[in-house]
Amino acid sequence: MDVKEWYMEYKIHKNRPGLLGDIASLMGMLDINIVTINGVEDRTRGMLLQTNDEEKIDLMGKMLRKVDNITITALRPPKLVDILAVRHGRYIERDSDDRKTFRFTRDELGLLVDFLGEIFKREGNQVVGLRGMPRVGKTESIIAGSVCSNKRWTFVSSTLLRQTVRSQLSEDEMTPNNVYIIDGIVSTIRSNEKHYSLLQDIMAMPSTKVIEHPDIFIRESEYTYNDFNYIIELRNSPDEEINYDSFTYTSEPF
């Protein structure tokens, strides 16, 4: 049987000496391998596990649910947010109503870069929207995520150094292995017909596209919210309001 990964998470009610050792011993007897383990937030622990026998996972879950000092809160094939929670020891904040929206603050740039890198590694069409005020670190995070995923990045439109509006790309730039960086304001409000035609070609490609200012992009184009796989919000502080009114029509860098 193929070896599969699982994510297990449990809350600790009484962190007595030897608790982790007892849990690890049980897994060892069932031949379940602990790949990664970390404290996640306060009194919660997360583990990435490996086994070639799904029945052993079910059996372990039933046994651990009888342990008084802990409560199993998750036992499932790992999601991306599970992997990153174990890796960084903290959860990514997610919108409770809109499950495709993830929130980060500037002091979590390392976590954001890792999150983007994991998304960029995936094959096929990935459309990511990135909201945030000027100079919060949006473009830098996209580039760093591209480096982490070993992907080449290509600016289709940008204001990082000066306003960039591409009307054509070279043959080696038109490849599914690229991460295309698109400024939603520049591409819809400040572009020309040739640029928009190129944009449509890129959006139709089975590749990764990251669109800064996705709300303006949706408002000013034929694309909709449903075209996005992820929406990421990046703030300087948790209570910062992302408001486009002050800079949508200016020449200020975004």
Side-chain angles (χ1 to χ4, degrees):
M1 297 176 65
D2 293 335
V3 175
K4 293 183 179 179
E5 280 201 345
W6 296 81
Y7 174 68
M8 187 181 82
E9 178 186 283
Y10 60 88
K11 286 189 176 297
I12 302 170
H13 304 300
K14 183 181 180 183
N15 196 10
R16 62 169 176 79
L19 176 61
L20 178 58
D22 291 344
I23 294 171
S25 296
L26 172 62
M27 293 178 182
M29 286 186 286
L30 290 170
D31 200 24
I32 296 172
N33 184 37
I34 301 174
V35 179
T36 313
I37 182 170
N38 201 349
V40 182
E41 305 297 351
D42 189 14
R43 295 181 68 86
T44 302
R45 184 166 283 134
M47 296 182 179
L48 290 179
L49 310 172
Q50 277 184 345
T51 181
N52 59 0
D53 190 342
E54 189 170 337
E55 289 185 7
K56 291 179 179 179
I57 291 290
D58 293 335
L59 178 59
M60 179 195 69
K62 290 175 182 177
M63 295 173 72
L64 289 178
R65 286 184 177 96
K66 298 294 183 181
V67 177
D68 293 334
N69 294 325
I70 67 171
T71 297
I72 302 294
T73 52
L75 186 58
R76 59 177 178 247
K79 303 174 183 178
L80 174 55
V81 290
D82 299 332
I83 294 169
L84 294 178
V86 173
R87 195 179 293 171
H88 291 267
R90 62 197 301 181
Y91 293 111
I92 296 172
E93 185 182 346
R94 197 169 184 178
D95 193 297
S96 57
D97 298 320
D98 174 13
R99 301 301 287 171
K100 72 166 69 172
T101 298
F102 299 83
R103 298 191 177 103
F104 297 83
T105 53
R106 188 169 172 80
D107 63 354
E108 298 174 319
L109 283 180
L111 179 57
L112 171 57
V113 168
D114 206 359
F115 182 65
L116 289 171
E118 293 296 328
I119 292 173
F120 296 169
K121 288 176 186 176
R122 298 179 175 182
E123 301 296 327
N125 191 46
Q126 300 283 336
V127 183
V128 180
L130 185 49
R131 295 177 178 138
M133 294 299 285
R135 292 174 294 278
V136 73
K138 298 185 298 297
T139 307
E140 294 87 343
S141 298
I142 300 167
I143 293 172
S146 302
V147 173
C148 288
S149 63
N150 200 28
K151 294 284 184 75
R152 175 179 175 179
W153 66 92
T154 298
F155 285 105
V156 180
S157 57
S158 174
T159 59
L160 183 62
L161 298 175
R162 54 187 172 81
Q163 184 162 301
T164 299
V165 183
R166 304 286 297 274
S167 58
Q168 63 182 27
L169 297 179
S170 63
E171 187 175 334
D172 65 331
E173 288 178 311
M174 294 293 284
T175 167
N177 198 46
N178 274 14
V179 174
Y180 295 99
I181 304 174
I182 299 164
D183 187 302
I185 295 175
V186 173
S187 281
T188 57
I189 295 178
R190 303 177 185 168
S191 65
N192 52 43
E193 192 173 327
K194 284 186 177 180
H195 172 80
Y196 198 77
S197 177
L198 173 65
L199 178 68
Q200 289 174 311
D201 291 341
I202 291 170
M203 291 297 290
M205 289 175 61
S207 58
T208 299
K209 281 82 67 169
V210 187
I211 300 171
E212 299 181 22
H213 314 297
D215 305 286
I216 305 299
F217 184 80
I218 291 167
R219 189 187 76 192
E220 301 290 335
S221 73
E222 76 233 45
Y223 300 100
T224 70
Y225 179 79
N226 293 330
D227 291 310
F228 288 80
N229 302 95
Y230 302 90
I231 298 290
I232 295 170
E233 297 178 352
L234 178 59
R235 292 174 168 84
N236 287 294
S237 60
D239 57 350
E240 182 181 51
E241 181 182 357
I242 299 174
N243 189 327
Y244 297 102
D245 295 341
S246 62
F247 60 92
T248 301
Y249 297 97
T250 71
S251 58
E252 188 178 358
F254 309 134

